[in-house]
Amino acid sequence: MMGKSHLVISTGVTLSVLGIIDEKITLPVIAVTAVSALLPDIDEPNSLLVSRALPTRFIQFLKLALVGLGGFLYFFGQAFAPWNIILAVLVGVVSLMPTRSLRNIVMILIGAGLILFGNTFIPWNYIIGSLLVICALLPHRGLTHTLYGVLGWTALLYFSTSGYSNTLWIAGGLSYLLHLLADSLTNRGIRPIPPLDWRLKFNLMSTGTRKGSFVEGGFVLLTFFLVYIVFLRHIAI
Ligand SMILES: [Zn+2]
């Protein structure tokens, strides 16, 4: 399923459920819900979340900046020879790395920095920091679309935020779970408990086909309808 459909369906249904059970919907709750809706696809090369958080252009700019830094070190560090050459070569090697690997390194550095020094943003520094590190080190594709992914993310939210309120981890966990359920509607389905080969697959739609995008659009419309019934009708009256 497309990232945008996930964003609408997971976020819309989660917020509707919260509305029905009368939980308070704050801006942080909406933010966690939206991120959790996109999180499972983070291991895909064109993930909506990663490409917005660290755009490819940013990484390309970083590469250029590194080449500049390498040149600077070489020419202006001649008093420290041969260290200027060694450093310049090191920086040059980093700038030659594939965009994807460089992005992972930047993610780990920012994540570790947030966890260690982001104490002003508690508990967000733990959530965002761990998330960046986990995403960069994710061992293999598909692990996010499992029960372990749901439990891991929910546990991370629970331990970092349950001291403040219970809405955040409930919203995040539910939104993540809904993403997996939406993916299980497709012909590819998901493998929720590897190493078991069992696939959860309802085969309602084939991704990439016209009928598939039609069904996908149908679920998006249904979500808007649900949100309308739960929230907007009250405002109108
Ligand atoms: Zn997915």
Side-chain angles (χ1 to χ4, degrees), residues 93-116:
V93 167
V94 173
S95 76
L96 286 176
M97 289 178 81
T99 302
R100 197 172 154 76
S101 325
L102 192 58
R103 175 185 269 145
N104 282 346
I105 292 178
V106 174
M107 279 165 75
I108 293 173
L109 289 177
I110 299 177
L114 268 172
I115 294 171
L116 294 174

Side-chain angles (χ1 to χ4, degrees), residues 51 54-64 99 103:
S51 59
L54 286 176
T56 307
R57 275 222 191 111
F58 169 77
I59 303 294
Q60 283 163 346
F61 173 78
L62 187 71
K63 282 186 174 182
L64 266 179
T99 302
R103 175 185 269 145

Side-chain angles (χ1 to χ4, degrees), residues 6 41 145 179 183:
H6 277 304
D41 287 340
H145 286 71
H179 176 123
D183 275 347

Side-chain angles (χ1 to χ4, degrees), residues 56-136:
T56 307
R57 275 222 191 111
F58 169 77
I59 303 294
Q60 283 163 346
F61 173 78
L62 187 71
K63 282 186 174 182
L64 266 179
L66 282 171
V67 172
L69 178 67
F72 180 87
L73 285 171
Y74 177 75
F75 286 111
F76 293 92
Q78 278 167 357
F80 305 99
W83 295 106
N84 66 322
I85 300 174
I86 295 172
L87 269 177
V89 168
L90 273 177
V91 172
V93 167
V94 173
S95 76
L96 286 176
M97 289 178 81
T99 302
R100 197 172 154 76
S101 325
L102 192 58
R103 175 185 269 145
N104 282 346
I105 292 178
V106 174
M107 279 165 75
I108 293 173
L109 289 177
I110 299 177
L114 268 172
I115 294 171
L116 294 174
F117 307 110
N119 299 334
T120 7
F121 308 110
I122 284 176
W124 303 103
N125 70 317
Y126 294 120
I127 299 177
I128 299 170
S130 326
L131 202 60
L132 285 168
V133 175
I134 293 168
C135 292

